[in-house]
Amino acid sequence: MSSDARINNEPGFVLHSYPFKETSVVAEVLTRSHGRVALIARGARRPTSALRGLMQPFTPLLLSWFGKSELKTLHGAEWRGGLIAPQGRALMCGFYLNELLLRLLARGDAHELLYDRYVDTLDQLAGEAGGTDFERASYFERILRRFEKNLLSEIGYGATFDVAADSGMPIEPGVRYVFQPERGALRETGLPGCPVSGQTLIDLAAGRFERPATLVEAKALMRTLINHTLGAKPLYTRQLLRELTELNPPNPIYPS
């Protein structure tokens, strides 16, 4: 084995894990310098294994592994600390982020800026979101919309929100548009696409999500873009969040 096949003390997070054989686990991890990596943690399901409590989402880790195949072998993991795990609704939002990363990131492609944004987003989700149910829901919505926008941009699927695709002119706040994932914003003339106001497009371009109307329309637009990128298979966590929202109707704009 060549020396470059061994990685030591790489910052990372477990996105998802599943049992492998009798006592092991395969963990899909997001790392800062190596992107998404699949690691086999041998013996991690044994009651005495030091890895048993570490192979969990939202746990900051230093990971060490080796191997030349797509499935690497984990040979060390340490807890880094410094981050509070999200709880409750914030936890479900965290699982939504993890599923997006699993579905949209190719293995082995490093996205250091995206990794840093992921860490910051987890920290924001774990923060206090006081106020009414609507204010708490809006707090999480703003966090998710920013992450979705940055994720699509980072992997090469970013959209232009501040210029009309058909004319090249700046978006006008008082005009209605339809947004087509493959083209962009078009003046609303009965064309297919996601209906959206010019003001929402301007807010999206600037990363502003304070207006309630912007939050509602931006959610529909980002869902359209993500669905177009993912293809036919729906997101599991999105369906779960929708079901939870139906059980708790006071939260009207969660990421369902």
Side-chain angles (χ1 to χ4, degrees):
M1 181 178 61
S2 62
S3 60
D4 61 357
R6 182 177 290 270
I7 304 298
N8 291 311
N9 298 321
E10 169 69 13
F13 288 83
V14 173
L15 298 176
H16 175 67
S17 63
Y18 55 90
F20 181 78
K21 295 186 176 179
E22 292 186 2
T23 62
S24 300
V25 163
V26 171
E28 292 278 359
V29 302
L30 177 68
T31 69
R32 191 173 192 277
S33 299
H34 298 271
R36 184 164 72 90
V37 181
L39 302 174
I40 177 170
R42 300 193 185 280
R45 295 166 61 201
R46 293 193 182 108
T48 57
S49 173
L51 296 173
R52 185 180 179 92
L54 293 177
M55 295 293 99
Q56 306 294 329
F58 318 119
T59 302
L61 299 171
L62 289 175
L63 299 163
S64 301
W65 69 83
F66 62 88
K68 295 181 180 180
S69 66
E70 191 171 35
L71 181 59
K72 317 295 185 184
T73 298
L74 182 72
H75 71 81
E78 298 179 21
W79 179 63
R80 294 180 63 202
L83 188 70
I84 300 173
Q87 304 291 327
R89 284 280 184 171
L91 180 63
M92 289 305 306
C93 292
F95 280 121
Y96 171 70
L97 299 185
N98 284 6
E99 188 176 9
L100 280 179
L101 293 169
L102 278 169
R103 295 281 303 277
L104 291 173
L105 294 185
R107 284 179 179 158
D109 288 346
H111 297 277
E112 294 187 356
L113 179 59
L114 180 62
Y115 178 90
D116 293 341
R117 289 190 186 278
Y118 175 74
V119 176
D120 290 342
T121 301
L122 291 183
D123 189 48
Q124 293 171 38
L125 288 174
E128 291 294 326
T132 65
D133 284 347
F134 182 83
E135 288 169 339
R136 288 193 293 271
S138 299
Y139 173 80
F140 291 124
E141 286 286 307
R142 288 193 293 271
I143 292 172
L144 294 178
R145 296 296 83 78
R146 290 190 182 101
F147 186 84
E148 290 168 343
K149 180 188 173 188
N150 289 326
L151 171 59
L152 291 175
S153 178
E154 180 71 18
I155 64 175
Y157 290 96
T160 299
F161 298 114
D162 55 355
V163 175
D166 48 359
S167 66
M169 299 297 292
I171 294 295
E172 300 178 43
V175 173
R176 296 293 301 179
Y177 296 84
V178 294
F179 201 97
Q180 297 179 351
E182 295 183 350
R183 296 186 64 189
L186 307 167
R187 279 182 176 264
E188 189 173 29
T189 57
L191 296 172
C194 180
V196 62
S197 70
Q199 185 60 59
T200 291
L201 290 170
I202 292 170
D203 290 344
L204 259 172
R208 296 191 301 260
F209 299 95
E210 284 70 29
R211 291 174 65 248
T214 293
L215 273 182
V216 173
E217 290 192 329
K219 175 179 176 177
L221 178 50
M222 296 308 297
R223 180 190 299 160
T224 297
L225 293 172
I226 289 170
N227 288 349
H228 178 76
T229 306
L230 287 175
K233 187 178 178 182
L235 289 165
Y236 171 77
T237 46
R238 182 183 287 167
Q239 177 61 33
L240 185 57
L241 283 163
R242 183 181 296 114
E243 292 171 358
L244 288 173
T245 302
E246 290 171 356
L247 292 173
N248 299 276
N251 297 332
I253 57 170
Y254 267 106
S256 56

